[in-house]
Amino acid sequence: MSADGATGGHGRPRVRTAAGVVEGRLGSGGTSIFLGIPYAAPPVGALRFAAPAPPATWDGVRDCTAYGPTAPKVPYPDTFAALLPDPVIPGDDCLNVNVWTPDPTPGARLPVMVWIHGGAHTRGSSAVPVYDGSAFARDGVVLVSCNFRLGVLGYGLFPDAPANRGLLDQIAALSWVRDNITAFGGDPDRVTVFGESAGAISIGALLAAPRAAGLFTRAVLQSGAPEVLPRPRVRAMVRRMASLLKVDATATAFTATALPDLLAAQAAVLRRSGPLVGGPAFGLVTDPDTIPADPLDTLCAAAASDEVPLLLGWTRDEYRLWLAPTGGMRLLDRLGPLAVALARARSGKDRAAVRALRAALPAAGPAELAGQLLTDRLLRDPLRRLAGAGRTAPSFVYEFGWPSGLPGLGSCHALELGFVFDTLAVPESAWLAGTDTPQELADEMHAAWVRFALTGDPGWAAWNGAGPPKVFGGPELDGAGASVVTRRALP
Protein backbone atom coordinates (compact mmCIF):
# COMPACT_ATOMS: atom_id res chain seq x y z
CA MET A 1 0.00 0.00 0.00
CA SER A 2 1.26 3.48 -0.84
CA ALA A 3 0.29 6.00 1.84
CA ASP A 4 1.50 9.11 -0.01
CA GLY A 5 -1.81 10.65 -0.93
CA ALA A 6 -3.46 7.23 -1.34
CA THR A 7 -6.92 6.22 -0.23
CA GLY A 8 -7.90 3.42 2.10
CA GLY A 9 -11.15 1.66 2.77
CA HIS A 10 -14.37 3.51 1.83
CA GLY A 11 -12.32 6.01 -0.17
CA ARG A 12 -10.78 7.57 2.94
CA PRO A 13 -7.52 9.50 2.47
CA ARG A 14 -4.30 8.12 3.92
CA VAL A 15 -1.00 9.85 4.61
CA ARG A 16 2.29 8.49 5.93
CA THR A 17 3.68 10.58 8.79
CA ALA A 18 7.04 10.13 10.51
CA ALA A 19 5.32 8.05 13.21
CA GLY A 20 3.07 5.95 10.99
CA VAL A 21 0.19 5.96 8.53
CA VAL A 22 -2.95 7.97 9.37
CA GLU A 23 -6.36 7.61 7.78
CA GLY A 24 -8.74 10.56 7.71
CA ARG A 25 -12.10 11.24 6.15
CA LEU A 26 -13.46 13.30 3.30
CA GLY A 27 -15.21 16.57 4.01
CA SER A 28 -17.28 18.81 1.80
CA GLY A 29 -15.84 19.79 -1.57
CA GLY A 30 -13.29 16.99 -1.50
CA THR A 31 -11.42 18.33 1.53
CA SER A 32 -9.42 15.69 3.39
CA ILE A 33 -9.66 15.87 7.19
CA PHE A 34 -7.29 14.19 9.64
CA LEU A 35 -8.09 14.62 13.33
CA GLY A 36 -6.29 13.75 16.56
CA ILE A 37 -2.82 12.94 15.17
CA PRO A 38 -0.34 12.74 18.08
CA TYR A 39 2.65 15.08 17.80
CA ALA A 40 4.07 14.17 21.23
CA ALA A 41 3.74 11.42 23.82
CA PRO A 42 0.83 11.55 26.27
CA PRO A 43 1.82 13.87 29.17
CA VAL A 44 1.03 11.40 31.93
CA GLY A 45 2.97 9.83 34.78
CA ALA A 46 6.56 11.03 34.78
CA LEU A 47 5.79 13.17 31.70
CA ARG A 48 3.01 15.19 33.39
CA PHE A 49 5.30 18.19 34.00
CA ALA A 50 8.13 17.30 31.62
CA ALA A 51 8.99 18.83 28.26
CA PRO A 52 7.07 17.15 25.42
CA ALA A 53 8.54 13.82 24.35
CA PRO A 54 8.34 12.31 20.83
CA PRO A 55 5.22 10.27 20.09
CA ALA A 56 5.42 6.51 19.86
CA THR A 57 5.42 5.04 16.37
CA TRP A 58 2.72 2.62 15.30
CA ASP A 59 2.25 -0.18 12.79
CA GLY A 60 -0.69 -0.41 10.46
CA VAL A 61 -3.12 2.45 9.93
CA ARG A 62 -4.21 4.84 12.67
CA ASP A 63 -7.83 6.02 12.53
CA CYS A 64 -7.85 9.84 12.56
CA THR A 65 -11.47 10.55 11.72
CA ALA A 66 -12.53 12.10 15.06
CA TYR A 67 -11.03 14.74 17.33
CA GLY A 68 -8.50 13.42 19.80
CA PRO A 69 -8.57 14.00 23.55
CA THR A 70 -8.55 17.58 24.79
CA ALA A 71 -6.05 18.78 27.38
CA PRO A 72 -7.20 18.48 31.02
CA LYS A 73 -8.91 21.70 32.11
CA VAL A 74 -11.56 23.16 34.36
CA PRO A 75 -14.87 24.30 32.89
CA TYR A 76 -15.81 27.91 32.36
CA PRO A 77 -18.11 29.41 34.99
CA ASP A 78 -21.74 29.06 33.90
CA THR A 79 -21.94 32.69 32.78
CA PHE A 80 -19.19 32.19 30.22
CA ALA A 81 -19.99 28.56 29.40
CA ALA A 82 -23.20 29.83 27.77
CA LEU A 83 -21.15 32.01 25.41
CA LEU A 84 -17.92 30.07 24.79
CA PRO A 85 -18.18 26.44 23.63
CA ASP A 86 -15.44 24.29 25.15
CA PRO A 87 -15.90 20.56 24.49
CA VAL A 88 -14.19 18.00 26.68
CA ILE A 89 -12.92 14.78 25.05
CA PRO A 90 -11.41 12.38 27.61
CA GLY A 91 -8.15 10.53 27.11
CA ASP A 92 -4.43 10.81 27.78
CA ASP A 93 -3.20 11.42 24.22
CA CYS A 94 -4.08 15.12 24.29
CA LEU A 95 -0.98 16.46 22.51
CA ASN A 96 -2.46 16.13 19.04
CA VAL A 97 -2.99 18.06 15.83
CA ASN A 98 -5.75 18.24 13.23
CA VAL A 99 -5.24 18.83 9.50
CA TRP A 100 -7.68 20.04 6.83
CA THR A 101 -6.20 19.90 3.34
CA PRO A 102 -7.56 20.32 -0.18
CA ASP A 103 -4.85 18.08 -1.66
CA PRO A 104 -3.02 15.52 0.54
CA THR A 105 -0.19 14.89 -1.91
CA PRO A 106 3.47 15.85 -1.38
CA GLY A 107 3.67 17.86 -4.60
CA ALA A 108 0.89 20.31 -3.79
CA ARG A 109 3.10 22.71 -1.73
CA LEU A 110 0.13 24.75 -0.48
CA PRO A 111 0.39 27.52 2.13
CA VAL A 112 -0.13 26.36 5.71
CA MET A 113 -1.90 28.08 8.61
CA VAL A 114 -1.46 26.81 12.18
CA TRP A 115 -4.16 27.82 14.69
CA ILE A 116 -3.35 28.30 18.38
CA HIS A 117 -6.52 28.60 20.42
CA GLY A 118 -7.24 30.99 23.27
CA GLY A 119 -8.78 30.47 26.70
CA ALA A 120 -6.64 32.42 29.20
CA HIS A 121 -4.01 29.62 29.14
CA THR A 122 -6.46 27.51 31.16
CA ARG A 123 -9.30 26.52 28.83
CA GLY A 124 -10.12 25.91 25.18
CA SER A 125 -9.11 23.29 22.62
CA SER A 126 -8.80 22.71 18.90
CA ALA A 127 -12.11 20.81 18.96
CA VAL A 128 -14.24 23.96 19.37
CA PRO A 129 -16.67 23.75 16.40
CA VAL A 130 -16.09 27.40 15.46
CA TYR A 131 -12.45 26.46 14.66
CA ASP A 132 -13.39 24.02 11.90
CA GLY A 133 -10.77 24.43 9.16
CA SER A 134 -12.92 23.44 6.18
CA ALA A 135 -13.27 26.97 4.78
CA PHE A 136 -9.50 27.48 4.78
CA ALA A 137 -8.99 24.17 2.95
CA ARG A 138 -11.75 25.12 0.50
CA ASP A 139 -9.77 28.26 -0.29
CA GLY A 140 -6.43 26.53 -0.91
CA VAL A 141 -4.83 26.55 2.55
CA VAL A 142 -3.72 23.57 4.64
CA LEU A 143 -5.14 24.34 8.08
CA VAL A 144 -3.57 22.79 11.18
CA SER A 145 -4.82 23.18 14.75
CA CYS A 146 -3.30 21.79 17.93
CA ASN A 147 -3.95 21.01 21.57
CA PHE A 148 -1.38 21.76 24.27
CA ARG A 149 -1.20 21.61 28.05
CA LEU A 150 -3.18 24.21 29.98
CA GLY A 151 -3.37 25.69 33.45
CA VAL A 152 -1.06 24.26 36.08
CA LEU A 153 -0.05 21.41 33.76
CA GLY A 154 1.12 23.79 31.05
CA TYR A 155 2.08 26.94 32.93
CA GLY A 156 2.49 26.18 36.63
CA LEU A 157 5.92 27.30 37.81
CA PHE A 158 7.88 24.66 39.75
CA PRO A 159 11.47 24.41 40.98
CA ASP A 160 11.77 20.88 39.58
CA ALA A 161 10.13 21.17 36.12
CA PRO A 162 10.70 23.20 32.94
CA ALA A 163 8.77 26.45 32.68
CA ASN A 164 6.31 27.32 29.88
CA ARG A 165 5.44 23.71 29.04
CA GLY A 166 2.38 24.82 27.06
CA LEU A 167 4.67 26.87 24.84
CA LEU A 168 7.08 23.94 24.50
CA ASP A 169 4.10 21.86 23.35
CA GLN A 170 3.27 24.48 20.71
CA ILE A 171 6.88 24.45 19.50
CA ALA A 172 6.69 20.65 19.30
CA ALA A 173 3.49 20.93 17.24
CA LEU A 174 5.15 23.42 14.88
CA SER A 175 8.14 21.08 14.60
CA TRP A 176 5.69 18.31 13.66
CA VAL A 177 4.31 20.60 10.95
CA ARG A 178 7.82 21.26 9.63
CA ASP A 179 8.60 17.54 9.47
CA ASN A 180 5.25 16.19 8.25
CA ILE A 181 3.13 18.78 6.49
CA THR A 182 4.59 18.16 3.02
CA ALA A 183 2.88 14.76 3.02
CA PHE A 184 -0.46 16.52 3.57
CA GLY A 185 0.10 18.89 0.63
CA GLY A 186 1.54 21.75 2.65
CA ASP A 187 4.65 23.86 2.15
CA PRO A 188 6.82 23.92 5.31
CA ASP A 189 8.45 27.10 4.04
CA ARG A 190 5.10 28.96 3.96
CA VAL A 191 3.66 28.56 7.45
CA THR A 192 1.51 31.25 9.06
CA VAL A 193 0.73 30.96 12.77
CA PHE A 194 -2.45 32.63 13.99
CA GLY A 195 -4.17 32.77 17.33
CA GLU A 196 -6.57 34.73 19.49
CA SER A 197 -6.37 35.96 23.08
CA ALA A 198 -3.99 33.60 24.93
CA GLY A 199 -3.22 32.06 21.54
CA ALA A 200 -2.03 35.46 20.31
CA ILE A 201 -0.03 35.97 23.51
CA SER A 202 1.60 32.61 22.76
CA ILE A 203 2.44 33.73 19.23
CA GLY A 204 4.09 36.84 20.65
CA ALA A 205 6.29 34.51 22.70
CA LEU A 206 6.96 32.23 19.72
CA LEU A 207 8.13 35.25 17.72
CA ALA A 208 10.72 35.95 20.42
CA ALA A 209 11.61 32.35 21.37
CA PRO A 210 14.91 31.10 19.96
CA ARG A 211 13.57 27.53 19.91
CA ALA A 212 10.79 28.58 17.49
CA ALA A 213 13.07 30.33 15.00
CA GLY A 214 12.42 29.21 11.43
CA LEU A 215 9.23 27.30 12.21
CA PHE A 216 6.91 29.89 10.61
CA THR A 217 7.13 32.79 8.19
CA ARG A 218 4.08 34.96 9.04
CA ALA A 219 2.05 35.61 12.18
CA VAL A 220 -1.43 36.82 13.11
CA LEU A 221 -2.17 38.14 16.62
CA GLN A 222 -5.89 38.56 17.32
CA SER A 223 -6.80 40.33 20.57
CA GLY A 224 -3.65 39.31 22.39
CA ALA A 225 -0.33 41.11 22.81
CA PRO A 226 3.12 39.71 23.66
CA GLU A 227 3.47 39.53 27.42
CA VAL A 228 4.95 37.61 30.31
CA LEU A 229 3.68 37.50 33.87
CA PRO A 230 5.87 38.14 36.89
CA ARG A 231 7.22 34.79 38.07
CA PRO A 232 5.98 35.37 41.67
CA ARG A 233 2.44 35.88 40.34
CA VAL A 234 2.46 32.49 38.59
CA ARG A 235 4.28 30.81 41.45
CA ALA A 236 1.56 32.09 43.79
CA MET A 237 -1.02 30.00 41.91
CA VAL A 238 1.00 26.84 42.52
CA ARG A 239 1.49 27.68 46.21
CA ARG A 240 -2.23 28.31 46.70
CA MET A 241 -3.02 25.00 45.04
CA ALA A 242 -0.43 23.23 47.19
CA SER A 243 -2.00 24.71 50.31
CA LEU A 244 -5.44 23.41 49.32
CA LEU A 245 -4.03 20.01 48.42
CA LYS A 246 -1.80 19.87 51.50
CA VAL A 247 1.26 18.89 49.45
CA ASP A 248 4.59 20.51 48.60
CA ALA A 249 4.58 23.09 45.79
CA THR A 250 6.71 20.88 43.55
CA ALA A 251 6.15 19.03 40.31
CA THR A 252 7.04 15.79 42.11
CA ALA A 253 4.24 16.28 44.64
CA PHE A 254 1.77 17.44 41.99
CA THR A 255 2.60 14.41 39.83
CA ALA A 256 1.67 12.15 42.73
CA THR A 257 -1.69 13.94 43.12
CA ALA A 258 -4.74 12.53 41.34
CA LEU A 259 -5.67 14.64 38.31
CA PRO A 260 -9.28 15.32 39.43
CA ASP A 261 -7.97 16.69 42.75
CA LEU A 262 -5.44 18.82 40.90
CA LEU A 263 -8.12 20.31 38.65
CA ALA A 264 -10.46 20.95 41.58
CA ALA A 265 -7.74 22.92 43.36
CA GLN A 266 -6.98 24.81 40.17
CA ALA A 267 -10.65 25.76 39.77
CA ALA A 268 -10.69 27.11 43.31
CA VAL A 269 -7.65 29.37 42.85
CA LEU A 270 -8.75 30.60 39.42
CA ARG A 271 -11.79 32.28 40.96
CA ARG A 272 -9.50 34.98 42.35
CA SER A 273 -8.07 36.19 39.05
CA GLY A 274 -9.25 37.69 35.76
CA PRO A 275 -7.97 39.62 32.73
CA LEU A 276 -9.13 43.00 34.04
CA VAL A 277 -8.79 42.63 37.80
CA GLY A 278 -5.37 40.98 37.81
CA GLY A 279 -4.33 38.73 40.68
CA PRO A 280 -2.40 35.44 40.50
CA ALA A 281 -2.73 33.72 37.14
CA PHE A 282 -1.31 31.07 34.89
CA GLY A 283 0.68 32.35 31.94
CA LEU A 284 4.05 32.66 30.28
CA VAL A 285 7.12 33.73 32.24
CA THR A 286 10.64 34.71 31.26
CA ASP A 287 12.89 31.69 31.28
CA PRO A 288 16.43 31.18 29.91
CA ASP A 289 15.43 28.07 27.99
CA THR A 290 12.26 29.38 26.30
CA ILE A 291 11.67 33.15 26.62
CA PRO A 292 14.92 34.79 27.70
CA ALA A 293 13.44 38.30 28.01
CA ASP A 294 10.13 40.14 27.83
CA PRO A 295 8.87 39.27 24.31
CA LEU A 296 7.39 42.70 23.58
CA ASP A 297 10.65 44.41 24.48
CA THR A 298 12.57 41.86 22.41
CA LEU A 299 10.34 42.27 19.38
CA CYS A 300 10.31 46.05 19.53
CA ALA A 301 14.10 46.01 19.69
CA ALA A 302 13.99 44.44 16.22
CA ALA A 303 15.86 41.19 16.10
CA ALA A 304 13.54 38.22 16.54
CA SER A 305 10.56 39.03 14.31
CA ASP A 306 12.08 41.53 11.92
CA GLU A 307 11.51 39.40 8.81
CA VAL A 308 8.08 38.06 9.81
CA PRO A 309 5.10 40.02 8.41
CA LEU A 310 2.44 40.59 11.08
CA LEU A 311 -1.34 40.92 10.97
CA LEU A 312 -2.67 42.11 14.30
CA GLY A 313 -5.68 43.78 15.82
CA TRP A 314 -8.51 43.88 18.33
CA THR A 315 -12.27 44.13 18.67
CA ARG A 316 -13.75 47.51 19.44
CA ASP A 317 -15.31 46.50 22.77
CA GLU A 318 -13.02 43.72 24.00
CA TYR A 319 -13.83 44.35 27.67
CA ARG A 320 -17.55 43.65 27.28
CA LEU A 321 -17.04 39.87 27.22
CA TRP A 322 -15.38 40.08 30.64
CA LEU A 323 -17.78 42.61 32.19
CA ALA A 324 -21.24 42.48 30.61
CA PRO A 325 -22.21 38.83 31.36
CA THR A 326 -21.15 39.11 35.02
CA GLY A 327 -22.87 42.39 35.85
CA GLY A 328 -19.53 44.16 35.97
CA MET A 329 -20.77 46.91 33.67
CA ARG A 330 -23.57 47.80 36.10
CA LEU A 331 -21.16 47.75 39.04
CA LEU A 332 -18.70 50.10 37.34
CA ASP A 333 -21.49 52.46 36.35
CA ARG A 334 -22.59 52.59 39.99
CA LEU A 335 -19.03 53.42 41.04
CA GLY A 336 -19.15 56.37 38.66
CA PRO A 337 -16.04 58.60 38.53
CA LEU A 338 -14.21 56.25 40.90
CA ALA A 339 -14.35 53.48 38.28
CA VAL A 340 -12.80 55.78 35.69
CA ALA A 341 -10.12 56.95 38.11
CA LEU A 342 -9.18 53.38 39.04
CA ALA A 343 -9.05 52.36 35.37
CA ARG A 344 -6.92 55.38 34.55
CA ALA A 345 -4.47 54.50 37.30
CA ARG A 346 -4.28 50.85 36.23
CA SER A 347 -3.88 51.74 32.55
CA GLY A 348 -1.21 54.35 33.15
CA LYS A 349 -3.14 56.99 31.17
CA ASP A 350 -2.99 60.67 31.98
CA ARG A 351 -5.99 62.94 32.46
CA ALA A 352 -5.64 64.27 28.91
CA ALA A 353 -6.28 60.77 27.58
CA VAL A 354 -9.45 60.52 29.64
CA ARG A 355 -10.65 63.90 28.35
CA ALA A 356 -10.00 62.76 24.77
CA LEU A 357 -11.92 59.57 25.44
CA ARG A 358 -14.89 61.48 26.84
CA ALA A 359 -14.87 63.74 23.79
CA ALA A 360 -14.86 60.73 21.46
CA LEU A 361 -17.63 58.98 23.43
CA PRO A 362 -19.87 61.72 24.82
CA ALA A 363 -22.68 59.29 25.64
CA ALA A 364 -20.47 56.71 27.34
CA GLY A 365 -20.94 55.90 31.01
CA PRO A 366 -18.21 55.12 33.53
CA ALA A 367 -18.16 51.40 32.69
CA GLU A 368 -17.51 51.98 29.01
CA LEU A 369 -14.86 54.60 29.71
CA ALA A 370 -13.13 52.33 32.22
CA GLY A 371 -13.36 49.33 29.89
CA GLN A 372 -11.86 51.22 26.98
CA LEU A 373 -8.99 52.49 29.12
CA LEU A 374 -8.19 48.98 30.32
CA THR A 375 -8.47 47.58 26.79
CA ASP A 376 -5.93 50.17 25.66
CA ARG A 377 -3.52 48.97 28.35
CA LEU A 378 -4.01 45.26 27.73
CA LEU A 379 -4.24 45.17 23.95
CA ARG A 380 -4.33 48.24 21.78
CA ASP A 381 -1.31 50.09 23.16
CA PRO A 382 1.11 47.11 23.08
CA LEU A 383 -0.14 45.95 19.68
CA ARG A 384 0.28 49.43 18.23
CA ARG A 385 3.73 49.58 19.79
CA LEU A 386 4.65 46.29 18.13
CA ALA A 387 3.21 47.35 14.76
CA GLY A 388 5.11 50.63 14.84
CA ALA A 389 8.43 49.26 16.06
CA GLY A 390 10.36 50.08 12.87
CA ARG A 391 10.51 46.47 11.70
CA THR A 392 11.72 45.57 8.21
CA ALA A 393 8.72 43.35 7.54
CA PRO A 394 5.31 45.07 7.28
CA SER A 395 2.61 45.07 9.94
CA PHE A 396 -1.09 45.25 9.09
CA VAL A 397 -3.49 46.47 11.78
CA TYR A 398 -7.26 45.92 11.98
CA GLU A 399 -10.19 46.57 14.28
CA PHE A 400 -13.33 44.43 14.36
CA GLY A 401 -16.34 46.64 14.93
CA TRP A 402 -19.49 44.61 14.21
CA PRO A 403 -21.63 44.35 17.38
CA SER A 404 -23.04 41.04 18.58
CA GLY A 405 -26.74 40.46 18.30
CA LEU A 406 -26.80 39.55 22.00
CA PRO A 407 -27.64 42.38 24.42
CA GLY A 408 -24.74 44.29 25.94
CA LEU A 409 -21.86 42.43 24.26
CA GLY A 410 -21.12 44.93 21.52
CA SER A 411 -17.96 44.12 19.53
CA CYS A 412 -16.61 41.98 22.35
CA HIS A 413 -13.56 39.78 22.79
CA ALA A 414 -13.60 36.61 20.62
CA LEU A 415 -16.53 37.79 18.50
CA GLU A 416 -14.46 37.86 15.29
CA LEU A 417 -13.61 34.14 15.38
CA GLY A 418 -16.61 32.86 13.43
CA PHE A 419 -15.90 35.48 10.78
CA VAL A 420 -12.21 34.60 10.45
CA PHE A 421 -12.98 30.87 10.15
CA ASP A 422 -16.10 31.50 8.04
CA THR A 423 -18.08 29.27 10.39
CA LEU A 424 -21.11 31.48 11.08
CA ALA A 425 -23.35 28.56 10.07
CA VAL A 426 -21.97 26.44 12.93
CA PRO A 427 -24.62 26.50 15.72
CA GLU A 428 -22.03 27.33 18.40
CA SER A 429 -21.12 30.53 16.55
CA ALA A 430 -24.48 31.98 17.56
CA TRP A 431 -23.64 31.52 21.26
CA LEU A 432 -21.61 34.72 21.12
CA ALA A 433 -22.71 36.43 17.91
CA GLY A 434 -26.45 35.80 17.83
CA THR A 435 -28.27 34.55 14.76
CA ASP A 436 -28.46 37.61 12.50
CA THR A 437 -24.82 37.58 11.35
CA PRO A 438 -23.64 39.13 8.06
CA GLN A 439 -22.10 36.46 5.83
CA GLU A 440 -20.58 39.13 3.61
CA LEU A 441 -18.45 40.31 6.56
CA ALA A 442 -17.22 36.74 7.09
CA ASP A 443 -16.42 36.53 3.38
CA GLU A 444 -14.36 39.73 3.62
CA MET A 445 -12.51 38.88 6.81
CA HIS A 446 -11.80 35.24 5.98
CA ALA A 447 -10.51 36.25 2.54
CA ALA A 448 -8.10 38.75 4.15
CA TRP A 449 -6.62 36.02 6.38
CA VAL A 450 -6.27 33.66 3.40
CA ARG A 451 -4.66 36.43 1.33
CA PHE A 452 -2.19 37.12 4.12
CA ALA A 453 -1.21 33.44 4.24
CA LEU A 454 -0.81 33.36 0.46
CA THR A 455 1.03 36.64 -0.10
CA GLY A 456 1.89 38.31 3.21
CA ASP A 457 -0.53 41.17 2.37
CA PRO A 458 -4.14 41.03 3.62
CA GLY A 459 -5.30 43.73 1.23
CA TRP A 460 -4.83 47.10 2.90
CA ALA A 461 -1.97 49.49 3.56
CA ALA A 462 0.71 48.48 6.05
CA TRP A 463 0.76 50.33 9.38
CA ASN A 464 2.71 53.55 9.12
CA GLY A 465 3.04 54.22 12.83
CA ALA A 466 -0.02 56.44 12.98
CA GLY A 467 -3.00 54.63 11.48
CA PRO A 468 -5.90 54.36 11.25
CA PRO A 469 -6.37 50.57 11.21
CA LYS A 470 -8.52 48.69 8.74
CA VAL A 471 -12.01 48.35 10.23
CA PHE A 472 -14.18 45.27 9.71
CA GLY A 473 -17.90 45.75 10.28
CA GLY A 474 -18.01 49.22 11.81
CA PRO A 475 -17.46 52.91 11.11
CA GLU A 476 -13.97 53.78 9.96
CA LEU A 477 -11.65 55.24 12.57
CA ASP A 478 -10.51 58.79 12.16
CA GLY A 479 -7.38 60.59 13.27
CA ALA A 480 -4.16 58.81 14.12
CA GLY A 481 -5.59 55.38 14.83
CA ALA A 482 -7.55 56.47 17.90
CA SER A 483 -8.75 53.63 20.07
CA VAL A 484 -12.40 54.66 19.87
CA VAL A 485 -14.65 56.74 17.66
CA THR A 486 -17.80 58.72 18.23
CA ARG A 487 -20.73 56.36 17.81
CA ARG A 488 -23.97 55.40 19.49
CA ALA A 489 -23.22 54.31 23.03
CA LEU A 490 -24.08 50.70 23.75
CA PRO A 491 -26.58 49.83 26.51
Side-chain angles (χ1 to χ4, degrees):
M1 176 195 73
S2 171
D4 297 329
T7 55
H10 309 290
R12 290 177 176 170
R14 287 182 177 177
V15 167
R16 184 180 299 280
T17 73
V21 177
V22 294
E23 182 174 273
R25 58 180 172 84
L26 291 176
S28 59
T31 296
S32 295
I33 304 171
F34 302 83
L35 305 175
I37 307 171
Y39 67 83
V44 296
L47 296 179
R48 179 181 279 185
F49 294 101
T57 58
W58 60 86
D59 297 322
V61 178
R62 186 183 185 105
D63 186 294
C64 290
T65 57
Y67 285 111
T70 53
K73 57 191 170 180
V74 299
Y76 283 110
D78 291 346
T79 301
F80 295 104
L83 300 171
L84 302 171
D86 194 13
V88 173
I89 302 173
D92 293 334
D93 220 345
C94 63
L95 300 184
N96 55 63
V97 296
N98 314 300
V99 181
W100 288 259
T101 176
D103 185 0
T105 58
R109 305 293 287 189
L110 297 167
V112 180
M113 297 186 75
V114 179
W115 172 247
I116 299 178
H117 70 79
H121 303 294
T122 55
R123 299 175 174 95
S125 79
S126 63
V128 173
V130 177
Y131 305 156
D132 185 285
S134 297
F136 282 104
R138 175 199 68 200
D139 294 331
V141 172
V142 178
L143 192 286
V144 180
S145 60
C146 62
N147 288 333
F148 41 88
R149 281 172 285 184
L150 303 168
V152 70
L153 300 172
Y155 301 96
L157 193 54
F158 298 95
D160 54 341
N164 300 323
R165 294 171 300 280
L167 188 74
L168 290 173
D169 292 344
Q170 294 164 19
I171 292 171
L174 287 167
S175 299
W176 182 93
V177 169
R178 177 197 61 203
D179 297 339
N180 293 277
I181 206 63
T182 300
F184 292 86
D187 184 348
D189 296 323
R190 285 197 294 166
V191 175
T192 299
V193 289
F194 71 128
E196 186 267 346
S197 193
I201 293 170
S202 296
I203 290 172
L206 290 168
L207 283 162
R211 282 174 172 246
L215 293 177
F216 54 91
T217 52
R218 294 169 188 140
V220 184
L221 288 77
Q222 300 172 213
S223 299
E227 70 169 25
V228 285
L229 299 179
R231 292 175 69 93
R233 184 177 171 191
V234 180
R235 185 75 174 132
M237 292 293 270
V238 173
R239 290 190 174 120
R240 290 183 179 185
M241 289 182 62
S243 177
L244 290 173
L245 294 165
K246 296 180 171 48
V247 300
D248 293 335
T250 64
T252 300
F254 276 43
T255 296
T257 301
L259 185 59
D261 294 337
L262 210 58
L263 293 178
Q266 177 177 299
V269 299
L270 280 173
R271 296 191 191 104
R272 305 184 189 182
S273 65
L276 293 182
V277 300
F282 290 115
L284 297 161
V285 296
T286 55
D287 166 67
D289 190 47
T290 48
I291 316 172
D294 182 285
L296 184 58
D297 290 343
T298 299
L299 299 176
C300 290
S305 71
D306 205 41
E307 297 303 320
V308 178
L310 300 179
L311 171 59
L312 41 86
W314 50 80
T315 70
R316 186 160 292 167
D317 306 304
E318 298 271 6
Y319 63 95
R320 284 182 170 268
L321 178 63
W322 305 314
L323 292 178
T326 61
M329 297 289 290
R330 293 190 299 272
L331 173 61
L332 290 176
D333 277 334
R334 285 198 299 271
L335 289 174
L338 177 60
V340 180
L342 292 172
R344 185 181 74 81
R346 181 163 173 75
S347 64
K349 300 287 186 179
D350 58 21
R351 287 183 171 81
V354 177
R355 287 195 296 271
L357 184 61
R358 290 186 188 278
L361 294 171
E368 182 164 7
L369 294 173
Q372 294 289 0
L373 288 169
L374 292 170
T375 301
D376 271 352
R377 175 188 175 274
L378 289 171
L379 295 172
R380 287 186 287 248
D381 288 349
L383 287 173
R384 281 194 292 256
R385 180 186 166 200
L386 176 58
R391 304 165 62 254
T392 302
S395 296
F396 302 90
V397 181
Y398 74 89
E399 176 172 289
F400 183 80
W402 180 82
S404 170
L406 301 183
L409 288 181
S411 306
C412 69
H413 190 68
L415 183 60
E416 87 284 5
L417 292 172
F419 295 84
V420 167
F421 279 86
D422 191 10
T423 50
L424 297 181
V426 171
E428 288 83 354
S429 181
W431 290 18
L432 194 62
T435 55
D436 189 16
T437 47
Q439 179 59 43
E440 64 275 11
L441 180 57
D443 294 342
E444 179 190 11
M445 201 169 193
H446 175 75
W449 266 238
V450 170
R451 193 180 302 116
F452 183 72
L454 289 170
T455 69
D457 183 345
W460 63 88
W463 184 255
N464 61 9
K470 161 70 177 176
V471 176
F472 289 99
E476 293 295 326
L477 297 180
D478 53 9
S483 59
V484 292
V485 292
T486 303
R487 68 195 192 285
R488 177 183 62 84
L490 289 163

